[in-house]
Amino acid sequence: MTHKSDFSDDDLTRFIDKEAGRELSMRIKAALKTDADLRQRHGNMVQVSADYKATFDELLSLAPASPKLNGFKEGSSWNLRVVAASMVAGALLAWGLTIPFQPSMATDWKYVVANYQSLYVTETLSLTNVSESEQKASLTRLSERLGFDVATLPSVDGLTFVRAQELGFEGRPLAQLTFLTADEGPVALCIVETGKETTDRIDFAELYGLDTYSWTQGGFGILLVGPRDDGSLKDAAAAFRDAFKA
């Protein structure tokens, strides 16, 4: 039976922004397991929040550096930049222009993956229930589609495998293997054919507010993406790289 719950948009906003109290957070987490309508509302609000944040981050990058004014505390600089960003947004709208989109972001698969992953929250995966046999079957099927063996997915400390699914990028299959960290933060290991040579070096980048570690192997690009400042992700990336090379 699907249970209905009554939470306001303000309740869900505080929950998404991690500003809800412990009791409210526990009630919402419990309700998300049984209330399909609430899950849909929650998912829609998460996406709107992520889109807003991404747009505003672009505006902040266009805004001029905040001036040093007497009487403002050190933490006030961000607020000044928000005002400047708002002025930039108003000017762009007045001129009928849009925020410039960097071509590299449109063609680099890592940007696309990170943008998609930024919509994930703990509940996206913690409410997913896939049996071990289904996990193995999906990994085998994905290996055949991808042309890269993920069926023998290694076990990595601190990451609990949840599910595998096939996405697509420019007509090529893209594997997305999702995990939860010990703190239940969502993490994804993504693989797509790129034709690039193998590199042992693991490159770090912060994309869309997430930490990413990427490398290439046998013509495939591999990206591990997860929460910021999670130091264990770097070790996990090295573990996956070494296991796939073996």
Side-chain angles (χ1 to χ4, degrees):
M1 179 180 294
T2 299
H3 298 278
K4 299 294 182 182
S5 48
D6 185 19
F7 293 102
S8 67
D9 287 347
D10 182 61
D11 289 337
L12 289 179
T13 298
R14 285 188 287 139
F15 177 72
I16 292 168
D17 292 340
K18 302 186 185 305
E19 295 177 354
R22 178 180 176 83
E23 180 181 354
L24 177 59
S25 295
M26 292 179 63
R27 286 172 50 215
I28 293 177
K29 285 182 179 181
L32 284 169
K33 296 179 181 179
T34 58
D35 190 336
D37 290 339
L38 181 65
R39 285 198 297 272
Q40 183 173 0
R41 283 179 60 206
H42 175 264
N44 290 339
M45 292 180 71
V46 167
Q47 181 165 357
V48 169
S49 177
D51 289 345
Y52 177 83
K53 181 181 182 301
T55 300
F56 214 78
D57 285 346
E58 290 288 345
L59 290 176
L60 284 173
S61 69
L62 295 173
S66 58
K68 294 183 178 180
L69 301 177
N70 293 330
F72 279 87
K73 296 181 180 179
E74 184 178 349
S76 302
S77 59
W78 188 88
N79 292 329
L80 292 172
R81 292 206 69 201
V82 169
V83 174
S86 301
M87 294 173 66
V88 171
L92 290 173
L93 291 173
W95 297 334
L97 301 177
T98 58
I99 298 172
F101 188 76
Q102 300 177 22
S104 61
M105 295 173 65
T107 56
D108 190 332
W109 70 280
K110 295 190 287 282
Y111 281 92
V112 177
V113 166
N115 189 19
Y116 178 66
Q117 184 69 16
S118 69
L119 302 179
Y120 275 53
V121 293
T122 298
E123 288 74 20
T124 308
L125 299 178
S126 63
L127 299 178
T128 300
N129 186 16
V130 181
S131 68
E132 185 175 348
S133 61
E134 290 174 325
Q135 289 177 343
K136 291 181 178 179
S138 62
L139 287 171
T140 299
R141 186 167 53 249
L142 194 52
S143 296
E144 294 173 352
R145 288 280 299 149
L146 189 64
F148 187 98
D149 185 15
V150 296
T152 54
L153 184 68
S155 177
V156 174
D157 290 342
L159 294 181
T160 301
F161 178 53
V162 177
R163 71 181 180 193
Q165 62 180 347
E166 179 181 337
L167 305 177
F169 179 74
E170 296 184 344
R172 290 165 283 164
L174 187 153
Q176 185 205 44
L177 314 179
T178 51
F179 306 81
L180 283 172
T181 66
D183 296 330
E184 295 196 333
V187 171
L189 180 71
C190 298
I191 306 170
V192 67
E193 187 174 4
T194 61
K196 295 184 179 180
E197 296 181 357
T198 298
T199 59
D200 282 334
R201 184 186 70 252
I202 296 178
D203 295 322
F204 169 79
E206 182 188 327
L207 303 177
Y208 292 98
L210 300 173
D211 282 353
T212 69
Y213 296 89
S214 61
W215 66 100
T216 58
Q217 180 178 332
F220 287 84
I222 306 174
L223 176 75
L224 185 68
V225 53
R228 282 197 60 200
D229 302 323
D230 186 341
S232 64
L233 282 182
K234 183 177 181 180
D235 294 336
F240 279 122
R241 179 200 60 187
D242 295 343
F244 286 143
K245 283 196 306 182

